[in-house]
Amino acid sequence: MSVNFIYLASQSPRRRQLLEQLGVAYELLLPGPDEDAESLEAEIAGESPEHYVARVTEAKLEAALKRLKTRGLAPAPVLCSDTTVAIDQRILGKPQDADDAFQTLSLLSGRSHRVITAVAIGLGERHTSALNVSEVDFIEVPEEQIRRYIASGEPFGKAGAYAIQSQAAAWISRIEGSYSGIMGLPLYETAQLLQRWDVVF
């Protein structure tokens, strides 16, 4: 039986834009003021970045499915996603402040890093998920450029302190993987999952 819409449990405008690019009809299913959504992103010592992203995405999905039930909304599949940036086994999350953003971007400068995005869709007991890993090379970025970028406010709220669709794109010399995955929702993997759920798009 075909599914005409899904719930998107994400505050990211980029994920909304990417779902719209696929032509998927969705409704937002966002955390209420009583939920501590940020706590779901807490790291566990010794955890690999790939395991971290998959675990956080599953936790977000569980929270969203509980939200769906509590609010008594019409049943439909719920989509969640999480993205992180990693150098080796080090997770580079959202910067806490300007100093943290500077440390992160200085670490990325002149190096290759991974952008890991997990996607999960669920309803009731059925959950399906996928993981996308892309590799990104940064040129050596002058300190003055990093400071200007931080002053623009762009790094905040973004894993790895940058967005590929911002001026930071000028620092990227090579990408191997999924551009949309680096933005926050890998469209190939997402489309494959949606098809398994018989979502119309």
Side-chain angles (χ1 to χ4, degrees), residues 5-84:
F5 83 102
I6 65 167
Y7 291 103
L8 173 63
S10 172
Q11 312 212 33
S12 163
R14 291 162 299 285
R15 292 194 180 112
R16 295 202 288 270
Q17 179 190 337
L18 288 163
L19 264 189
E20 286 161 10
Q21 188 177 325
L22 282 183
V24 176
Y26 67 87
E27 290 182 19
L28 292 175
L29 182 62
L30 302 180
D34 56 321
E35 292 182 65
D36 183 8
E38 289 297 314
S39 68
L40 299 177
E41 297 181 11
E43 294 174 34
I44 295 172
E47 189 174 29
S48 75
E50 285 81 359
H51 185 271
Y52 165 80
V53 173
R55 177 182 60 78
V56 168
T57 302
E58 184 62 28
K60 285 182 175 182
L61 180 59
E62 290 285 359
L65 289 170
K66 189 175 170 187
R67 198 178 305 142
L68 180 73
K69 196 172 178 182
T70 304
R71 294 179 188 173
L73 299 169
V78 177
L79 185 149
C80 289
S81 186
D82 190 68
T83 301
T84 202

Side-chain angles (χ1 to χ4, degrees), residues 35 51 72 80 90 94 114 132 156 169 193 201:
E35 292 182 65
H51 185 271
C80 289
R90 181 172 173 183
K94 297 168 186 170
R114 303 193 307 290
N132 175 270
F156 302 105
L193 288 178
F201 64 96

Side-chain angles (χ1 to χ4, degrees), residues 3-189:
V3 177
N4 293 318
F5 83 102
I6 65 167
Y7 291 103
L8 173 63
S10 172
Q11 312 212 33
S12 163
R14 291 162 299 285
R15 292 194 180 112
R16 295 202 288 270
Q17 179 190 337
L18 288 163
L19 264 189
E20 286 161 10
Q21 188 177 325
L22 282 183
V24 176
Y26 67 87
E27 290 182 19
L28 292 175
L29 182 62
L30 302 180
D34 56 321
E35 292 182 65
D36 183 8
E38 289 297 314
S39 68
L40 299 177
E41 297 181 11
E43 294 174 34
I44 295 172
E47 189 174 29
S48 75
E50 285 81 359
H51 185 271
Y52 165 80
V53 173
R55 177 182 60 78
V56 168
T57 302
E58 184 62 28
K60 285 182 175 182
L61 180 59
E62 290 285 359
L65 289 170
K66 189 175 170 187
R67 198 178 305 142
L68 180 73
K69 196 172 178 182
T70 304
R71 294 179 188 173
L73 299 169
V78 177
L79 185 149
C80 289
S81 186
D82 190 68
T83 301
T84 202
V85 170
I87 283 187
D88 302 321
Q89 292 303 300
R90 181 172 173 183
I91 295 167
L92 302 173
K94 297 168 186 170
Q96 300 296 314
D97 53 31
D99 286 344
D100 192 18
F102 184 78
Q103 296 286 333
T104 297
L105 291 167
S106 298
L107 185 64
L108 295 177
S109 175
R111 293 188 63 179
S112 175
H113 63 270
R114 303 193 307 290
V115 180
I116 308 152
T117 300
V119 188
I121 301 178
L123 182 61
E125 296 302 308
R126 183 186 170 198
H127 295 193
T128 54
S129 60
L131 190 74
N132 175 270
V133 182
S134 298
E135 201 163 282
V136 180
D137 291 354
F138 264 30
I139 59 167
E140 289 274 358
V141 186
E143 182 179 322
E144 184 190 330
Q145 277 190 31
I146 292 176
R147 294 205 183 277
R148 274 207 308 270
Y149 185 63
I150 293 166
S152 76
E154 189 65 51
F156 302 105
K158 297 176 180 71
Y162 81 93
I164 193 170
Q165 71 279 13
S166 72
Q167 66 199 68
W171 307 337
I172 297 170
S173 59
R174 186 189 71 95
I175 289 169
E176 188 175 311
S178 166
Y179 183 89
S180 57
I182 297 165
M183 272 182 78
L185 191 69
L187 290 184
Y188 171 75
E189 287 84 349

